């Protein structure tokens, strides 16, 4: 399938994207609907999910959908960032567990135990209605059917990982409190995450943390050199070395017992899979029947900011299941949507698999079409410029012809009708437009202008409402091979909304020759990568032709 | 725009079109039609089975299954209301599917509610009393066990289905556009 992806320059120091045949190219290009757009005048740029900075707007449990205040997520009682109500996951299959009473009615199907619910007698237990795991297998039962997390907390409190985490937290508490919350990494509102992120960017050695503290303290005091010297030594003294309560290699004794168990093992199903044990932050038993129910981690709604100017790009509504936004600057509202199609060769009669890559033969010319759809309330004018890949050796494998003069796309209209309003530009107009503006580079010169008998393949082909379809041509060299993939610089110029927007036809005319006086003209350029398909090299083509003698493509 | 959005042809004789633009295949099995509401511009494909007859016992008629606007029930799908067992017996519960919901071919749905702009893939099993919130997506071949909750704007996949990732903020507009275009592309051709 031919594709179009849009460039976000965040991975590079250059505004020009890497050539499409480099590995790094695919990491820099994205689908339009995943991109954002910073509208601040000093930015006016595409942003992606990787470069926006993210803040937590609110937490909620993905199962019971209860919103959890940020304060209580950070509070001691909710140390896992997990649901503190009745939500647990099956340790065996990760399905959500349900709480059931001990006396399911006679003759009921086990699959419907869940539906019976909690009307029966205590003790209650957790049950998986997917794999039939239940918490009595690990000796966990409940006296009440509510507040399960609270009831389990007592047993959890003594678990080694919990104890260790508590001790680590105690150890770092004074240090974190002293750290200025705004100063370290303003991308994160939470002082713990900000400290963690600075820690990650530093060379830390876990056992002796003095190096870490010195570095961080040094950075903290950056504003004042004299003070910095003071705090560095002071903090070094304050933050003592952390000693684990658990001996390194304590897991070894556990392992010894398990060696014995494995020796007598008869069914491999009794061993917990790696995936089942993966979530544990501590050495756990290898036996499947020792797996404990898992807390369900909270999800969050996120506010996203421009990494450059810090303006808000995305701000969701507070309510956990609302899909509305207080602020939403997505690229699809500011940048034309570009769709590509490569018509199948005329001779082909077979049904084409829509997911199969399009193939081209060396030494031939193929037409393709690009549809530009304007999302804005202002008409826009678009100019295209193919980025030439740096030539490593010899001739380029292919060349691309696209209309070089600017072309117009009408404004998006709210009450959009699908009737043919015949807004099509007269053919003479297009020809005039194509002929009038000279093509600067030889190889983007539309060939068909010279041969008026053939139907036009390069130029504006169709205009329908806020979509303009243009034709292009792919000319493959005799030695062509590899992917027919190229970068394209798209520049669109439009008038800012404030002036004369309701003048209909006259407005449409004026955009064709953008010389309007009062209106503020804005220009925005961005790169896309177009993947047309795969070139079949000459030598391969010979055998290919022998295989399919009868369906010749002329 | 029929640019790379080709027409999806159907045999004109096969489908019945209602006043509100619903298109229902004559090869679909619609049981208890008096208990089923279709919101308009909704397509019920060939071989689909919708069990409006499975209703709570009692007098009068009741809505068992309601589907909103611009929905598609794919080929061979089964839409069946969920039921609960009691000591005394069992009872069916109504199912509500909102607008712009596409259900892929071969899926079986026994959900309680499915929100707006939800996409369900092919060959999925959506268990009893599952709740799928707005703009969520269920990947092909996913099994959601009974009572699963799928939060808004999240992608679920696997057996059993689990959270994979958050969907983009543009999902609502994207799905709305796709479902509207699908309805427009779904055009009759005269049978030969
Ligand atoms: Zn980026
Ligand atoms: Zn919960
Ligand atoms: Zn399970
Ligand atoms: Zn910005």
């Amino acid at each position: 399938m031919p594709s179009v992806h849009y460039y976000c320059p965040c991975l590079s120091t250059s505004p020009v994207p890497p050539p499409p045949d480099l590995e790094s190219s695919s990491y820099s290009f994205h689908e339009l609907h995943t991109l954002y757009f910073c509208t601040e005048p000093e930015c006016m740029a595409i942003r992606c999910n990787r470069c926006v900075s993210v803040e937590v707007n609110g937490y909620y449990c993905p199962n019971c959908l209860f919103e959890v205040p940020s304060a209580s997520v950070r509070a001691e009682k909710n140390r896992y960032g997990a649901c503190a109500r009745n939500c647990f996951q099956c340790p065996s299959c990760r399905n959500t567990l349900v709480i059931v009473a001990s006396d399911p009615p006679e003759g009921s199907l086990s699959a419907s135990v869940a539906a019976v619910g909690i009307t029966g007698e205590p003790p209650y237990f957790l049950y998986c209605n997917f794999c039939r795991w239940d918490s009595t297998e690990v000796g966990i039962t409940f006296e009440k059917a509510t507040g399960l997390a609270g009831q389990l907390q007592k047993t959890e409190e003594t678990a080694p990982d919990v104890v260790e985490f508590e001790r680590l937290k105690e150890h770092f508490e004074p240090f974190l409190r002293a750290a200025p919350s705004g100063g370290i990494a303003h991308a994160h509102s939470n002082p713990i995450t900000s400290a963690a992120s600075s820690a990650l960017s530093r060379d830390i050695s876990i056992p002796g943390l003095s190096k870490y503290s010195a570095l961080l303290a040094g950075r903290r005091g950056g504003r004042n050199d004299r003070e910095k010297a003071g705090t560095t030594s002071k903090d070094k003294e304050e933050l003592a070395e952390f000693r684990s309560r658990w001996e390194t290699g304590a897991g070894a004794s556990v392992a010894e017992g398990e060696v014995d168990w494995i020796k007598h093992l008869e069914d491999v199903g009794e061993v917990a899979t790696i995936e089942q044990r993966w979530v544990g932050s501590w050495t756990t038993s290898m036996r499947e029947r020792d797996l404990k129910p898992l807390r369900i981690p909270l999800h969050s709604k996120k506010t996203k900011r421009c990494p450059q100017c810090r303006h808000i790009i995305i701000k969701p509504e507070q309510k956990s299941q609302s899909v509305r936004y207080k602020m939403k600057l997505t690229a699809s509202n500011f940048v034309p949507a570009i769709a590509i199609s490569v018509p199948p060769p005329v001779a082909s009669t077979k049904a084409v698999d829509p997911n199969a890559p399009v193939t081209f033969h060396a030494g031939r010319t193929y037409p393709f079409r690009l549809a530009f759809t304007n999302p804005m309330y202002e008409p826009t004018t678009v100019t295209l410029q193919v980025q030439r890949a740096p030539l490593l050796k010899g001739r380029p494998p292919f060349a691309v012809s696209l209309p070089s003069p600017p072309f117009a796309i009408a404004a998006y209209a709210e009450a959009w009708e699908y009737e043919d309003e015949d807004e099509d530009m007269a053919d003479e107009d297009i020809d005039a437009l194509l002929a009038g503006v000279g093509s600067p580079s030889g190889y983007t010169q539309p060939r068909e202008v010279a041969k008026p008998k053939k139907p036009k393949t390069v130029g504006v082909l169709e205009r329908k409402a806020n979509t303009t379809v243009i034709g292009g041509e792919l000319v493959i060299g005799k030695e062509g091979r590899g992917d027919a993939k190229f970068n394209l610089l798209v520049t669109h110029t439009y008038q800012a909304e404030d002036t004369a927007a309701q003048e209909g036809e006259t407005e449409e005319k004026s955009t064709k020759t953008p010389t309007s006086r009062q209106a503020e003209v804005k220009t925005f350029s961005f790169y896309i990568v177009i993947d047309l398909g795969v070139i079949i090299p000459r030598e391969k083509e010979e055998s290919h032709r022998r295989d399919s003698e009868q369906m010749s493509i002329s | 725009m029929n640019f790379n959005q080709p027409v999806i042809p159907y045999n004109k004789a096969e489908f019945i079109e209602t006043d509100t633009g619903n298109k229902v295949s004559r090869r679909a099995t619609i049981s208890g039609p008096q208990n089923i509401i279709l919101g308009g511009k909704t397509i019920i494909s060939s071989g689909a089975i919708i069990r409006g007859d499975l209703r709570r016992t009692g007098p009068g008629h009741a809505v068992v299954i309601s589907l909103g606007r611009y929905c598609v029930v794919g080929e061979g799908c089964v839409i069946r209301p969920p039921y609960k067992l009691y000591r005394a017996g069992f009872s069916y519960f109504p199912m509500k599917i909102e607008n712009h919901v596409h259900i892929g071919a071969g899926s079986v749905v026994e959900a309680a509610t499915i929100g707006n702009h939800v996409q369900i893939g092919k060959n999925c099993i959506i268990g009893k009393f599952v709740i799928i919130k707005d703009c969520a997506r269920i990947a092909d071949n996913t099994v959601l066990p009974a009572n699963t909750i799928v939060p808004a704007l999240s992608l679920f996949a696997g057996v059993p289905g689990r959270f994979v990732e958050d969907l983009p903020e543009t999902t609502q507009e994207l799905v709305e556009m796709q479902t509207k275009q699908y309805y427009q592309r779904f055009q009759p051709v005269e049978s030969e």
Side-chain angles (χ1 to χ4, degrees), chain A residues 36-37 52-58 70 189 300-306 310-320 322-330, chain B residues 153 169-170:
Chain A
Y36 309 106
F37 194 84
V52 290
S53 47
V54 175
E55 291 163 16
V56 172
N57 199 52
S70 301
S189 59
S300 63
K301 297 193 88 173
K302 295 163 192 92
T303 295
K304 297 176 180 177
R305 287 175 186 274
C306 172
R310 314 284 317 139
H311 276 90
I312 290 176
I313 284 174
I314 294 287
K315 189 167 180 65
E317 274 192 358
Q318 198 68 36
K319 260 184 76 203
S320 85
S322 165
V323 292
R324 289 208 291 260
Y325 295 85
K326 289 176 183 158
M327 177 70 97
K328 182 159 101 171
L329 300 173
T330 56
Chain B
L153 285 162
E169 291 85 353
T170 51

Side-chain angles (χ1 to χ4, degrees), chain A residues 35-176:
Chain A
L35 292 171
Y36 309 106
F37 194 84
C38 179
T39 53
E40 287 305 305
E42 73 260 38
C43 285
M44 283 291 283
I46 286 174
R47 304 286 181 224
C48 74
N49 236 332
R50 188 165 28 214
C51 60
V52 290
S53 47
V54 175
E55 291 163 16
V56 172
N57 199 52
Y59 295 92
Y60 67 93
C61 169
N63 185 54
C64 64
L65 306 179
F66 260 66
E67 285 151 40
V68 185
S70 301
S72 70
V73 172
R74 262 173 270 151
E76 283 180 312
K77 289 290 171 207
N78 205 338
R79 60 172 71 87
Y80 296 97
C83 180
R85 302 175 77 238
N86 296 320
C87 303
F88 290 90
Q89 267 178 349
C90 174
S92 187
C93 76
R94 299 292 149 75
N95 181 29
T96 304
L97 297 170
V98 287
I99 184 84
V100 292
S102 330
D103 57 344
E106 289 279 311
S108 78
L109 308 159
S110 55
S112 53
V113 169
V116 174
I118 52 173
T119 49
E121 299 296 311
Y124 302 96
F125 59 94
L126 290 164
Y127 174 76
C128 174
N129 59 21
F130 185 78
C131 73
R132 299 181 185 183
W133 179 92
D134 79 67
S135 66
T136 57
E137 290 175 29
V138 287
I140 294 176
T141 56
F142 302 88
E143 286 313 307
K144 288 184 299 165
T146 53
L148 305 184
Q151 294 182 61
L152 261 191
Q153 193 153 315
K154 287 167 205 105
T155 58
E156 285 171 340
E157 265 165 2
T158 52
D161 52 340
V162 175
V163 174
E164 186 76 347
F165 182 70
E166 278 303 306
R167 286 169 57 85
L168 275 164
K169 234 171 91 176
E170 264 167 42
H171 180 77
F172 284 111
E173 200 75 66
F175 177 73
L176 286 169

Side-chain angles (χ1 to χ4, degrees), chain B:
Chain B
M1 222 265 307
N2 48 14
F3 173 62
N4 46 4
Q5 305 274 311
V7 163
I8 302 160
Y10 68 85
N11 183 343
K12 197 175 180 192
E14 190 197 316
F15 279 79
I16 304 163
E17 186 169 352
T18 69
D19 293 346
T20 50
N22 297 308
K23 295 182 178 186
V24 180
S25 170
R26 291 179 201 275
R27 292 192 196 145
T29 306
I30 313 289
S31 310
Q34 71 279 10
N35 301 330
I36 299 170
I37 295 177
L38 301 182
K41 300 188 174 179
T42 278
I43 299 166
I44 311 295
S45 309
S46 173
I49 298 170
I50 303 185
R51 298 294 305 269
D53 57 323
L54 303 179
R55 50 164 295 204
R56 201 190 289 251
T57 47
H61 86 105
V63 176
V64 172
I65 293 165
S66 82
L67 278 133
R69 277 173 289 117
Y70 292 107
C71 293
V72 172
V73 176
E75 292 184 9
C77 282
V78 179
I79 311 290
R80 187 166 56 196
Y83 65 84
K84 243 180 212 175
L85 282 174
Y86 293 103
R87 275 159 213 266
F90 78 106
S91 179
Y92 286 104
F93 284 77
M95 183 194 301
K96 183 158 201 221
I97 299 175
E98 302 284 352
N99 305 321
H100 303 283
V101 174
H102 276 204
I103 302 170
S107 290
V108 177
V109 178
E110 295 182 277
T113 60
I114 297 177
N116 289 293
H117 306 100
V118 169
Q119 303 150 276
I120 296 173
K122 291 175 188 153
N123 303 314
C124 291
I125 296 174
I126 310 298
K128 289 183 196 65
F129 297 104
V130 165
I131 295 174
I132 305 178
K133 292 293 192 175
D134 294 345
C135 300
R137 187 152 77 84
I138 315 297
D140 291 351
N141 308 311
T142 299
V143 175
L144 296 182
N147 306 303
T148 303
I149 313 282
V150 178
L153 285 162
S154 50
L155 168 63
F156 268 54
V159 182
R162 293 187 220 162
F163 173 81
V164 177
E165 63 178 14
D166 290 324
L167 292 170
E169 291 85 353
T170 51
T171 303
Q172 180 172 344
E173 299 93 275
L174 212 63
V175 174
E176 185 148 334
M177 192 183 71
Q178 284 163 357
T179 52
K180 282 183 173 170
Q181 281 179 353
Y182 189 95
Y183 183 78
Q184 250 135 17
R185 290 161 60 201
F186 193 72
Q187 291 296 330
V189 289
E190 299 292 338
S191 51
E192 296 120 58

